[in-house]
Amino acid sequence: MNRLLIDTKDRRVQYASAGMPELLLYRPGSAGIQALMAAGLWVGNGYTKYTANPAEASLSYEDGDILVLASDGVLDAESGGNPFGSGGVHTALLNAHSENAEKMVQAILRAVLLHTGNAAPSDDQTVVVVRLGNGVSERRVDV
């Protein structure tokens, strides 16, 4: 589970993760993609072993910033024992970052299919892309 709150008035993003892959941030013009992590236990067996200490983090966003959430089914998609991984998501996003949100989602899922040789997924594959800025955000969710 991931939590993402986009405050368009203050131009801030608040995020937290409960064992799911981290939120990714791409800032156009930057050389790479930043993984955004918030530490803390939110759900699961952690409550029986540890005192729950959920944590969230936040950052300011700029016009054109792109947020990507990809489920573990995307990252774990395998070809010959090699997972698609965050590197596959990064490459697909860098190649498609100038497209709209829907086309970025399609590019990431197409890259997964190419990686796996069109094999049927062994887990759900979910990708969410949000492009931020100018009071307008794009959202696309594929489950």
Side-chain angles (χ1 to χ4, degrees), residues 62-82:
E62 301 170 12
D63 290 345
D65 283 357
I66 299 167
L67 299 172
V68 177
L69 286 165
S71 69
D72 55 348
V74 171
L75 302 180
D76 296 343
E78 289 188 356
S79 174
N82 296 315

Side-chain angles (χ1 to χ4, degrees), residues 22-83:
E22 63 273 357
L23 176 67
L24 302 176
L25 169 68
Y26 174 71
R27 292 198 154 138
S30 68
I33 295 171
Q34 180 181 355
L36 304 177
M37 293 181 265
L41 296 169
W42 280 87
V43 297
N45 288 333
Y47 285 125
T48 61
K49 296 179 186 176
Y50 308 100
T51 301
N53 185 21
E56 66 178 25
S58 67
L59 61 89
S60 296
Y61 69 81
E62 301 170 12
D63 290 345
D65 283 357
I66 299 167
L67 299 172
V68 177
L69 286 165
S71 69
D72 55 348
V74 171
L75 302 180
D76 296 343
E78 289 188 356
S79 174
N82 296 315

